[in-house]
Each structure stands twice: as structure tokens, then as C-alpha cells.
Amino acid sequence: MRKRLWSVALALAVAAVSPVQAQGIAGSYLAARSAGMSSDYKAAADYFTRALARDPSNPHLLESTVLSQLSLGEVARAIPVARKMEADGLQSQIARLVLVADEAATGKYDALLARLDEERGIGPLVDGLLNAWALMGNGSVSAALKAFDGVAAERGLAAFALYHKAMALASVGDFEGAEAIFADSAGGPLQMTRRGAIARVEILSQLDQGDTAMGLLDELFGRDFDPAIQAIRARLEAGETLPFTMVQDPRQGVAEVFYSVAAALNAEAGEDYTLLYTRVVEYLRPDHTDGILLSASLLDSLGRYELASATYKSVVQDSPSYFAAELGRAETLRKAEKLDSAVEVLEQLTRSHGAFPMVWVTLGDLMRQLKRFDEATVAYDTAVELYGAPSSEHWFIYYARAISFERLGEWPKAEADFRTALELNPNQPQVLNYLGYSLVEHKLKLDEALSLIEQAVEARPDSGYIVDSLGWALYRLGRYEDAIGHMERAAELMPVDPVVNDHLGDVLWAVGRKREAEFQWHRALSFAKYDNASGDVDADRIRRKLEVGLDVVLAEEGAPPLKVAHD
């Protein structure tokens, strides 16, 4: 679905260009096509706009321009093009998305109602809710409530409609009516979403039911370390009455419609299609942080890290969602390999939100990736201290800190953390494997080490890393014949991994298959040139093995000699 939306629009655009016109716009069109297919919305918008200037009535260039501008978040620039499409009698759901956004943003609810009456809307669910909110915008509250009820009567749409009806009632101060809707569906889909839960908490607070609101907050979120939830809890504990912020007017109601649809589409449709709805949310309500975060997440999934980072950065610092946005921005910077910038974002977050352990966990993970293991352990130490008594969900922190200690050569600390991680999450394959492998490498508790790795393989039989660990452990124990099958299986699972191929070479040498061993070492060297980010392969050592053989290398290193194969 991700490429489908763009590929259809682009194919139609080129089909509609006449040969004479194509000579003038071919360069812009082809550049736009390439940009659109790779989700480079800025370049696509620029090139389609240039092509459209050469052929301003081409229907598919018009639609492609609207699509690219909307995807980029430039709704204002898409509006005049969408208007031309409608004036030309062209049918386009994408253009209608933009025109509905324009009418809601400018308060033209009569025009919006007329559009829906004339079936120039977007789709059944969206149009029904838009109609109700447009009636609210016209001041026809009773008619709007009936319209919400009409949508609720349709199969599968009740939860959407009732949520929006509750928002509409709360937006005009009828908190009793809004709470009646929530109470009637307690435990149902209305409060299963984060926004629904927060809306009800605000409604209860407006009704002077602060204790009930607190109870609901604790029931749904527990002692969540989310800054936004903690801020709400702190205000309730202080006896404050929370303002109702979820939807305050019809324009925000329309924005909420598009967000509801985007949230529903997120798990079903392609990222590029869902993004069209979240961009409308951002346009109608620039402070809709949930919409902004969803847009940024979609852009991240599409690989548009620069746009994702800019979208995350649009969340203002005094927003309760700033914390989540900055964590997201750091991750997109990491994926874009702007690692220094990612570190800078996280270090700044430790100063502004240092009371939240997730900041330190994320910083520790990044430092571990950068092989700055001493700084990683400090970050994990802080997270562990902030969390207090460990619980099952904290196993990964101890596991990650254990890896950092192991890389620093502090094995007693590493082993203690590995074992704590296993206590918190027994039989966790990653921990079983890493602890077992490390014990083998340190030549400690070898029987236990083998047992741990065998448990990990049983849990993850198709994990190349774990199967490699089992083969390597058997090799370290001198059980070369037992090791060979596992090592060959690991190489099948991870055929281009330099470490696995290097290990397979050593095992093959140990069983006397020296020509095959040399072949695997050559493979390990060739793969290490392109993929050895971990630095676990010693290329010089492999070259030395190719020159003089594994037996001589082991002797030079002062290691015990290999047993003779088939001894």
C-alpha cells in the first residue's frame, strides 16, 4: 500500500501528458515520479509544481501536486490546486480532503454542509461525523446530536460516533451529558484509547469528581512515568479543576474526526495514505500533539527521517508531549546516522526531564551503540535508581547494562546484571544466550553455559546468532564434531555475517576440513568489508589464519592446541 498510492497517481499523470507537452515537462515529471515513489515529498512537490506550470489543466498532474503538498504538510499550498480541480469537475478524494480542511479552518460550515449534501465528501464514516460537527459549527446543536446518533446506529461505527458526541457535548459545557456517554460504555472502546481516557478524566474534574478522576487515572495508567500523565495526576492531587482541552470548538472537532480515522487506519492502511489524514489534523489544530506525533512516526516508518525530525521538533517545549517528541526526534536522528545530534537531544532531555528513567535508558542504549560503554553504564545506573525496586519489565535495562560491563571487562558486575535480568524475565532467550556465550568466552562454568545456550536455541531455533553461540560453545569445549552441524545451520540462517563465517571456518579446521575452512575465512573477510559495524571480527587475525593456519595462530597466542580431529 505504501507505494500504491503514489504509483497509481504517477502512472495516470504520465498517461495524460501529450507528446508535445511531454517534451517540455518530462524532466520535472520524471524527477517528481522518482521523488514520490521514494516518499521524498518536498522534491515531489517542487517538481510536480514545475510540471503543472507547463500544463495547468492536466487532471493527474493537478492531483499529484495536491497529493505531494498534502503529504509534505503544506495544506495551504494545496488548497488553490484542489479548488481548481473541483471547478474543473474533477473527482478526487485527495482534493476533497484539502477542501474540507479549508472550509472547517475558515468556519464555512454552510459550504461544508452543502458539500456533504451533494455527496462531495470523503467517505461514509468521515462524512457522517463531519456533518454533525458542521451542524455544531452552525449552532444547530440539537440537529448535530441527532446526526451523531445517526452515525452511531450504523454497524461498526458506534464507538466513533459516541466518542465524538461526548466531545461535542463537553465542548458546549454539557459535561453531565458527556459523562453519561462515557459511564454507559465504561470499560468499552471509548476509554480504551489514551485520548478517550484523558477526555473523561477532564470531564470528571469539571464535574468536581476529582477523586473519581484520580481513581480512573490510576486504573488505566498505574504509576506511569509518562510526563503528560504525571502532570495531570499532580494537578488532580493539588485539588485543581482541569480545563476541558480535548475538543473546544467545531474546528477542533473536525480535526478530531481526521485523527480518529488516522488512528484507525494506522494499523490497516499504508503509511503514506494515513499521513494524509494526520496532515489535515496538524493544519486544523497545530497544537494537536497526538496528531503531530503520529505524523512523525509515519514519516519515520517511510524513511523520511529529516521530515520526521522536523515534525517532532514542532512540539513546543512547554507541551506535556515534548518529552515523547524529543525521544522520537533522537531516534530519527539516530536512524539518519546523525549520532552526535541524537546524543545532544538526549543530553538536553536529561537536563529538562531527568526525573524520567526512560530518558536515561534511551541515552544508555545510544551510548552502547556508540561503544561508549562507560557512559552507557552511568546512564543505566541512573535509570535503575529512578525506577527503584526492579520489576519484570525492567529486565532489558539490566541486560543492556550487563553487556556494557562485559565490554568494559568488568565481568563480575556483568554476570550479576545478567542473572538479575534472568530473575526478572526467566528463560529470556537473549539473556540466556549472552550469559552462556560470555561464560564460554571467559572459560567459566562451562556446563551451565552450554545448558543456558541450549535453552536459548530451544526458544529461538531460527536465530542465527543463538545457533552460532551453541556451535561456538561446543567448539570451545572441544566437541568439534558436535559443533559442526550447528555452525553450518547458523551460516544458513546468517549467510553473510562475518562473525558466523569466521566461527564456521575455525570449526571446519578443527575437524580437518581445512580447504573449506579457508573458504569460510575468505568469506568472513569479504563480508567484514561491508558489514562489520560491531567490530567483532579481527581481520588481521583471519589473514594470519589464512597464512599459517589456525593451529599456529593459537600457538602464537599461547592458547591450548586443538585436539586432532576424530581423536
Side-chain angles (χ1 to χ4, degrees):
M1 181 67 184
R2 169 178 166 179
K3 301 298 184 189
R4 186 177 174 187
L5 185 67
W6 276 97
S7 61
V8 171
L10 294 167
L12 290 173
V14 74
V17 178
S18 70
V20 174
Q21 291 167 327
Q23 292 177 13
I25 69 172
S28 295
Y29 167 73
L30 292 173
R33 178 178 183 177
S34 176
M37 292 295 288
S38 63
S39 303
D40 187 349
Y41 302 123
K42 187 178 188 307
D46 290 343
Y47 286 121
F48 272 125
T49 300
R50 293 183 197 178
L52 190 62
R54 298 287 190 99
D55 188 7
S57 295
N58 183 306
H60 301 298
L61 286 178
L62 285 164
E63 181 166 65
S64 296
T65 302
V66 173
L67 172 61
S68 56
Q69 295 285 12
L70 179 55
S71 300
L72 186 60
E74 296 288 354
V75 179
R77 292 186 178 183
I79 289 171
V81 185
R83 285 177 182 162
K84 176 171 174 51
M85 291 183 69
E86 189 158 76
D88 290 350
L90 301 175
Q91 303 295 316
S92 168
Q93 184 192 51
I94 296 167
R96 289 174 179 175
L97 274 170
V98 171
L99 294 173
V100 165
D102 178 45
E103 289 161 358
T106 54
K108 296 175 181 175
Y109 295 111
D110 286 337
L112 180 52
L113 288 168
R115 167 181 300 282
L116 298 172
D117 287 341
E118 295 165 9
E119 298 185 352
R120 291 183 290 117
I122 298 165
L125 169 61
V126 179
D127 290 354
L129 295 176
L130 289 176
N131 181 65
W133 278 112
L135 289 168
M136 290 291 294
N138 260 0
S140 305
V141 177
S142 296
L145 297 178
K146 289 180 181 178
F148 284 122
D149 289 338
V151 177
E154 297 182 34
R155 183 177 180 180
L157 302 185
F160 285 103
L162 290 174
Y163 170 76
H164 281 272
K165 182 179 181 181
M167 296 303 97
L169 289 168
S171 73
V172 295
D174 186 357
F175 298 110
E176 292 85 355
E179 168 55 16
I181 293 174
F182 275 106
D184 190 50
S185 62
L190 264 65
Q191 67 183 42
M192 290 301 288
T193 67
R194 175 189 171 88
R195 288 184 69 78
I198 293 174
R200 190 180 183 193
V201 166
E202 291 180 347
I203 289 167
L204 288 168
S205 180
Q206 284 289 317
L207 293 171
D208 295 324
Q209 298 183 36
D211 290 342
T212 304
M214 275 288 295
L216 179 64
L217 205 62
D218 290 340
E219 175 188 344
L220 296 176
F221 297 101
R223 301 308 297 181
D224 201 312
F225 282 89
D226 182 329
I229 299 301
Q230 288 206 7
I232 293 172
R233 179 181 282 110
R235 295 179 70 179
L236 289 171
E237 288 174 343
E240 289 186 40
T241 298
L242 302 177
F244 183 72
T245 62
M246 201 59 61
V247 176
Q248 297 172 313
D249 56 44
R251 172 174 173 161
Q252 292 185 2
V254 173
E256 197 69 14
V257 170
F258 283 99
Y259 179 76
S260 297
V261 175
L265 288 172
N266 191 32
E268 304 294 334
E271 293 95 341
D272 56 351
Y273 185 71
T274 307
L275 181 65
L276 302 180
Y277 286 84
T278 60
R279 288 306 203 185
V280 172
V281 177
E282 292 180 71
Y283 176 71
L284 289 172
R285 189 171 180 183
D287 68 340
H288 198 301
T289 54
D290 287 332
I292 294 171
L293 294 177
L294 183 51
S295 283
S297 175
L298 293 166
L299 289 163
D300 179 277
S301 297
L302 288 163
R304 305 316 306 175
Y305 302 128
E306 185 176 350
L307 282 175
S309 179
T311 304
Y312 279 125
K313 197 173 182 179
S314 68
V315 176
V316 296
Q317 189 165 2
D318 61 358
S319 167
S321 296
Y322 176 76
F323 170 79
E326 287 295 274
L327 285 180
R329 187 159 75 97
E331 176 63 8
T332 61
L333 289 167
R334 184 193 68 79
K335 290 180 178 178
E337 298 185 356
K338 296 182 178 179
L339 300 178
D340 289 342
S341 296
V343 170
E344 183 180 345
V345 169
L346 291 174
E347 288 181 339
Q348 174 59 39
L349 208 53
T350 64
R351 292 188 283 274
S352 62
H353 290 73
F356 298 98
M358 183 52 64
V359 179
W360 297 98
V361 174
T362 308
L363 179 60
D365 290 344
L366 181 56
M367 292 304 187
R368 182 164 51 88
Q369 178 187 343
L370 294 172
K371 304 188 188 309
R372 292 160 60 175
F373 298 113
D374 51 347
E375 293 171 87
T377 58
V378 171
Y380 291 132
D381 287 345
T382 306
V384 166
E385 182 179 351
L386 289 169
Y387 274 125
S391 57
S392 59
E393 63 266 25
H394 299 151
W395 71 270
F396 187 84
I397 304 171
Y398 289 91
Y399 170 66
R401 190 172 67 172
I403 293 172
S404 301
F405 279 134
E406 192 269 337
R407 293 303 178 96
L408 289 169
E410 299 186 42
W411 174 246
K413 291 182 180 179
E415 182 178 8
D417 271 353
F418 279 131
R419 294 193 184 279
T420 299
L422 274 182
E423 289 173 9
L424 297 174
N425 191 357
N427 303 317
Q428 211 294 324
Q430 290 173 268
V431 184
L432 289 167
N433 177 61
Y434 209 117
L435 175 57
Y437 186 90
S438 298
L439 287 169
V440 169
E441 288 294 289
H442 286 84
K443 301 180 176 63
L444 298 169
K445 307 171 187 174
L446 294 178
D447 289 339
E448 180 193 11
L450 185 61
S451 174
L452 291 169
I453 298 171
E454 287 173 339
Q455 292 176 58
V457 171
E458 184 177 355
R460 298 274 177 83
D462 294 326
S463 169
Y465 289 111
I466 294 177
V467 175
D468 170 76
S469 295
L470 178 55
W472 195 241
L474 291 166
Y475 165 81
R476 288 289 203 178
L477 291 170
R479 295 169 54 181
Y480 308 135
E481 294 288 354
D482 293 337
I484 190 67
H486 297 294
M487 288 307 313
E488 288 176 333
R489 172 60 177 158
E492 289 177 8
L493 293 168
M494 302 178 66
V496 298
D497 184 84
V499 174
V500 171
N501 283 276
D502 183 34
H503 284 175
L504 176 56
D506 286 10
V507 176
L508 287 166
W509 184 279
V511 297
R513 293 161 59 180
K514 296 186 177 181
R515 183 64 60 85
E516 293 173 78
E518 291 169 353
F519 175 75
Q520 293 300 329
W521 290 331
H522 278 296
R523 281 170 58 85
L525 279 177
S526 66
F527 298 141
K529 292 179 182 177
Y530 302 103
D531 182 20
N532 190 27
S534 67
D536 288 336
V537 169
D538 185 340
D540 290 337
R541 186 175 188 270
I542 296 177
R543 293 188 188 97
R544 183 62 176 160
K545 286 188 291 187
L546 285 166
E547 181 182 353
V548 300
L550 178 59
D551 303 276
V552 174
V553 169
L554 292 174
E556 290 173 346
E557 294 171 345
L562 293 170
K563 297 178 182 178
V564 177
H566 308 299
D567 241 339

